[in-house]
Amino acid sequence: QVQLVESGGGLVQDGGSLRLSCAASGTILRVADMAWYRQAPGKQREMVAKITSGGTATYAGSAEDRFTISRNNPLNTIYLEMNHLKPEDTGVYFCHAWVTQSYSDNYSRYWGQGTQVTVSA
């Protein structure tokens, strides 16, 4: 089995910063793309940023220029540095990863349990 464990959420004021971490553990052969998603109250889950195993990053428009996603491949860990946070960034942030556990398996998708980020006005 594979687990994704997020950390780093919390309460911050408008304009503040937070750093999220997500570590994948368990029986892992290789981790492909990893990403951060956000689910605001009453809204669908949406992609915030994703990063390939080679380090190529893609951002949602709302995160561009404020958020930075990075990755440590030997640790199977990704980070999300969030600056200039706004109240509309509030939500539960979920880590997502495509993981294969053996040479005979296809990649499967996994989700973390989520970490709450609240930005007060």
Side-chain angles (χ1 to χ4, degrees), residues 2 20 28 43 48-49 54 61 64 66 69 73 75-76 92 94:
V2 175
L20 306 183
I28 296 172
K43 295 187 177 180
V48 175
E64 197 80 55
R66 297 187 299 126
I69 188 170
N73 284 334
L75 296 180
N76 291 325
V92 179
F94 295 91

Side-chain angles (χ1 to χ4, degrees), residues 39-85:
Q39 188 161 20
K43 295 187 177 180
Q44 289 189 328
R45 194 174 296 188
E46 60 179 359
M47 193 273 289
V48 175
K50 67 178 180 180
I51 187 167
T52 67
S53 58
T56 300
T58 305
Y59 298 92
S62 61
E64 197 80 55
D65 298 327
R66 297 187 299 126
F67 294 3
T68 302
I69 188 170
S70 58
R71 179 169 181 160
N72 184 319
N73 284 334
L75 296 180
N76 291 325
T77 299
I78 59 170
Y79 308 93
L80 186 66
E81 187 75 34
M82 303 186 292
N83 297 310
H84 305 295
L85 282 161

